[in-house]
């Protein structure tokens, strides 16, 4: 078993933690010596082992072998959100969404399974939930999202046990799936979709499709009502066409202009209220408003929007030096909050961090994104875009979606592409 001193030494612990901890002066000297030894190499600390953070760690490890890379992630298993709507729809097991960090560790990255609880951007120090401090030359912040409880009146964490959001994959995904499987034939499912920006713009509509597919298959007298806090959404004409063709009256979508934005919920009564109506649901899937993961806020990296403003080309925070923000937490403007985009940003951020540490100018480049959405068990549609950074923003310079009216064979082919994309990205990041 490792002693605490040994663990601290392995972590390159700094003097800040020791001031808080009951260590002897000798332990402090040992830890300081370890820290000094490491300081000969540049230190990059990455917070968050999701599609952005784990990917950035791996790419940095490859391109900057002289850099000490530490990834902080509390969970020992990553549960991916992409394809989790297939789990909700009873078409996939949750275990197919889960990945360990063995591949990341085998790639030579130090993975610390703790939660980062504080960042001192002046001392360039991250504090972990066990009181240990890690020092960095550059910090990459990739904590994903936090759900904003009580933004919808009545919707707090306890309410999510009756009305799951399933917007962070895991037990919530299974809860929503199980509730759907228990619904009577003829029951009402109500989904509440949030206003933008939020994680995965087409995600609620892929979910609506796969819930409708389940109801059509297993409980055909049931109905799905989607209450949306906006009028437009990603791939809307394609989704609407697919819904009309595949699900008819079983799926009804209402937008904010129809007065459909949910303003409050009562999990005890299983009701959702808008300005004009109240709906009693057998199953309610409430996707609440979101913001950057809490540690980004604690680090002072968020603005009034709740997200993190960045300098587009390098992903450096506009609010703190030597900190980069990537993935869902960042304001990447036209780039959507997707795993595809997070992974693309991670690759570029790794390049920029390596170059900045080596006193080289940042790389000028463009990034792309593609998001597949299932509209049924074996049909999918997609949207793709190309983005270019200027001084203020990531601007969309090209893009498009699948064709309307495409034959079934094309939709099936896209479902195949989606499957290959998921296998590719997860093996690249976690394999
Ligand atoms: P995450 O993947 O959430 O990773 C963040 C990590 O940070 C987590 O592991 C978390 O534990 C860790 N963390 C948080 N706080 C701390 C802390 N204080 N200390 C240490 N670690 C911390 N995208 C696509 O491209 N294609 C899709 O088909 C797709 N489908 C989706 C379907 C659904 C239902 C949903 C909800 C999302 C979907 N997405 C899809 C979006 C995708 O899941 C996110 O955009 C992506 O996960 C963002 O990556 P990230 O690394 O920023 O955040």
């Amino acid at each position: 078993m490792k002693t605490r001193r040994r663990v601290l030494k392995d972590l390159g612990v700094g003097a800040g933690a020791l001031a808080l901890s009951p260590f002897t002066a000798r332990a402090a000297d040992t830890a300081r010596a370890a820290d000094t030894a490491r300081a000969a190499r540049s230190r990059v600390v990455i917070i968050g082992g999701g599609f952005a953070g784990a990917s950035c760690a791996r790419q940095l490890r490859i391109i900057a072998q002289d850099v000490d890379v530490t990834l902080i992630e509390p969970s020992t298993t990553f549960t991916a959100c992409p394809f989790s709507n297939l789990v909700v729809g009873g078409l996939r097991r949750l275990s197919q969404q889960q990945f360990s960090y063995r591949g990341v560790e085998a790639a030579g990255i130090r993975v610390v399974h703790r939660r980062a609880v504080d960042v001192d951007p002046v001392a360039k120090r991250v504090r972990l939930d066990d009181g240990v401090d890690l020092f960095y030359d550059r910090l990459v912040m990739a904590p994903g999202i936090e759900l904003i409880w009580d933004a919808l009146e009545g919707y707090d964490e306890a309410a999510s046990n009756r009305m799951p959001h399933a917007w962070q994959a895991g037990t919530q995904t299974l809860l929503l799936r199980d509730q759907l499987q228990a619904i009577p034939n003829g029951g009402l499912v109500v989904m509440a979709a949030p206003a933008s920006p939020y994680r995965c713009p087409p995600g609620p509509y892929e979910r609506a499709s796969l819930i409708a597919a389940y109801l059509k298959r297993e409980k055909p007298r049931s109905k799905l009502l989607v209450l949306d806090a906006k009028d437009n959404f990603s791939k809307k004409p394609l989704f609407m066409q697919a819904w009309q063709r595949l699900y008819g009256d079983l799926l009804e979508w209402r937008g904010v202009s129809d007065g459909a934005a949910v303003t409050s919920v009562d999990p005890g009564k299983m009701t959702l209220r808008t300005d004009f109506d109240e709906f009693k649901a057998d199953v309610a899937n409430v996707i609440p408003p979101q913001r950057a993961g809490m540690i980004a806020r604690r680090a002072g990296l968020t603005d009034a929007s709740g997200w993190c403003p960045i300098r587009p080309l390098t992903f450096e925070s506009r609010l703190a030096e030597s900190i980069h923000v990537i993935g869902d937490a960042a304001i990447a403007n036209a780039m959507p909050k997707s795993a595809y985009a997070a992974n693309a940003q991670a690759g570029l951020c790794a390049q920029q961090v390596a170059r900045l540490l080596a006193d080289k100018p940042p790389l000028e480049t463009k990034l792309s994104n593609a998001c597949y959405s299932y509209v049924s068990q074996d049909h999918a549609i997609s949207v793709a875009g190309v983005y270019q950074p200027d001084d203020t923003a990531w601007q969309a310079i090209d893009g498009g979606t699948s064709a309307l009216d495409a034959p079934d064979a094309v939709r099936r082919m896209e479902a195949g592409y989606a499957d290959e994309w998921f296998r590719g990205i997860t093996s690249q990041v976690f394999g």
Side-chain angles (χ1 to χ4, degrees), residues 211-220 245-247 250:
I211 289 177
Y214 169 77
L215 295 177
K216 183 177 170 182
R217 218 167 52 241
E218 305 287 340
K219 319 272 168 83
R245 209 168 68 76
L246 295 167
Y247 309 118
L250 191 150

Side-chain angles (χ1 to χ4, degrees), residues 195-232:
S196 301
Y198 59 93
R199 157 174 284 180
C200 195
Y205 313 99
E206 178 188 66
R207 176 170 295 169
S209 307
L210 292 171
I211 289 177
Y214 169 77
L215 295 177
K216 183 177 170 182
R217 218 167 52 241
E218 305 287 340
K219 319 272 168 83
R221 287 190 288 110
S222 305
K223 179 164 175 165
L224 168 62
L225 175 62
V226 182
L227 300 175
D228 210 326
K230 56 195 173 300
D231 282 326
N232 282 311

